[in-house]
Amino acid sequence: MSIILLVGCGNKAKASQNDTIIVGSQGSDLDIWEHIAKSSQAKKLGLKIKTKEITDGAQLNNATSQGQVDVNAFQSWSYYQAYNKQNPNGKLIALGTTYLEPLGIYSKKYKSLKDIPNGTTVAIANNPANTSRDLLLLQKAGLITLKKGFNALGNTKDITANPKNLKFKEIDDTTGPRVLNDVPVVLISNTVALESGLHVLTDSIYHEKVDQGTKDNINILATAAKNKNNTNYQKLVKLYHNKEIQKYIKKKYFGTKIEVNKPLTYLKNK
């Protein structure tokens, strides 16, 4: 379920490695990169960073592809794959891994999965990558079964078993906490949950764990394909995993942004 650096509206970020790097993001990820931009660790690496907020993921990826943003920090590996598949002429490349934010199943009405009765309405995200992630978590929770080969572009049509006859309501995933007042069960990303005062490790009735089944949900830094060899952009990955930066992130976000410092081959290998 990200960070952005801004320049003047409509201006394209310059490609020179000596220029300020525009990092685009949103929500808590934006806050993290604003902290990183001011950090002594960034100065030590000789990096000048500015952040830019773009709250729509597709718009942020488009801005990165078009050069208005140099690097973005907001998306999971599966979201990135789905975007590239849908935008073959504006593909991005991944620079490195950052963290896993567990997706959670929340309810104000039920205290555990076993309490969920037949016919319950479940709110899930209405964008492709997050829809599939939500459904995979529901499968992991034992509530549904998905067809073999289910992927990042899958949807409710790929459900092969639904023993509780759950009903699905697709929502803008940023509205999850508000919808929680009206819908019995809602899947909410951790960034959105945190911003509304929910803690996935204590407030959800079920959430993702870090394992082989959640590799597609690991967040990454991404840039336009033409920038794949930009060494300064690659330094952002090292900077994110700096011990002092990680100490700040863990304290501020209560351990819910679980650091994942893996080579990209870890995500690509099945």
Side-chain angles (χ1 to χ4, degrees):
M1 272 209 65
S2 312
I3 302 168
I4 305 171
L5 297 182
L6 275 178
V7 286
C9 184
N11 292 337
K12 290 193 175 183
K14 296 177 183 178
S16 169
Q17 293 190 12
N18 295 320
D19 290 332
T20 296
I21 302 172
I22 308 300
V23 173
S25 193
Q26 56 191 238
S28 58
D29 282 331
L30 180 66
D31 295 338
I32 289 171
W33 281 94
E34 287 178 343
H35 171 81
I36 292 174
K38 300 172 185 174
S39 70
S40 61
Q41 289 77 23
K43 290 179 182 177
K44 287 178 183 177
L45 287 177
L47 298 175
K48 294 179 181 179
I49 301 169
K50 286 186 179 180
T51 58
K52 178 175 183 176
E53 182 177 18
I54 298 177
T55 59
D56 179 88
Q59 289 180 11
L60 179 48
N61 271 342
N62 286 337
T64 307
S65 175
Q66 294 165 11
Q68 294 157 1
V69 164
D70 293 318
V71 175
N72 69 47
F74 79 100
Q75 65 193 318
S76 67
W77 179 250
S78 62
Y79 190 100
Y80 157 84
Q81 288 180 303
Y83 176 85
N84 275 350
K85 188 168 185 177
Q86 293 173 338
N87 297 274
N89 295 322
K91 285 189 175 183
L92 304 177
I93 63 106
L95 292 166
T97 63
T98 51
Y99 64 86
L100 172 74
E101 258 186 318
L103 169 69
I105 301 175
Y106 294 82
S107 177
K108 287 188 174 181
K109 194 170 184 179
Y110 309 116
K111 294 188 179 299
S112 69
L113 294 173
K114 69 179 187 305
D115 295 334
I116 298 174
N118 290 342
T120 297
T121 297
V122 178
I124 61 174
N126 65 0
N127 61 74
N130 288 331
T131 299
S132 62
R133 181 175 180 177
D134 287 356
L135 293 173
L136 284 167
L137 184 59
L138 290 171
Q139 176 173 254
K140 194 79 178 278
L143 294 173
I144 61 172
T145 302
L146 300 167
K147 73 176 185 181
K148 192 173 183 180
F150 182 84
N151 59 37
L153 296 178
N155 56 46
T156 54
K157 294 178 181 178
D158 299 316
I159 297 173
T160 58
N162 183 5
K164 286 183 177 286
N165 193 29
L166 300 176
K167 299 173 183 176
F168 298 97
K169 178 182 178 68
E170 293 195 359
I171 62 168
D172 177 337
D173 53 351
T174 64
T175 66
R178 296 198 300 275
V179 173
L180 194 54
N181 293 317
D182 304 309
V183 180
V185 178
V186 183
L187 280 79
I188 307 175
S189 70
N190 188 54
T191 294
V192 174
L194 274 178
E195 289 168 358
S196 67
L198 295 170
H199 189 309
V200 66
L201 304 182
T202 57
D203 294 328
S204 68
I205 59 174
Y206 190 81
H207 58 81
E208 291 174 335
K209 306 295 192 297
V210 179
D211 58 31
Q212 291 294 307
T214 57
K215 288 197 299 185
D216 283 348
N217 304 327
I218 291 170
N219 276 41
I220 61 169
L221 297 183
T223 186
K226 66 181 180 181
N227 300 324
K228 65 180 180 179
N229 295 320
N230 188 303
T231 55
N232 275 352
Y233 294 0
Q234 292 167 353
K235 286 180 184 178
L236 292 177
V237 180
K238 178 181 179 181
L239 180 57
Y240 179 85
H241 292 292
N242 175 275
K243 288 183 180 179
E244 291 303 313
I245 297 296
Q246 282 301 307
K247 187 182 296 183
Y248 166 83
I249 294 170
K250 288 172 185 175
K251 181 177 180 181
K252 185 171 178 65
Y253 298 102
F254 311 102
T256 62
K257 291 180 184 285
I258 302 169
E259 182 184 14
V260 178
N261 190 4
K262 299 279 190 182
L264 290 172
T265 51
Y266 174 80
L267 302 180
K268 296 173 182 177
N269 294 335
K270 294 297 181 181

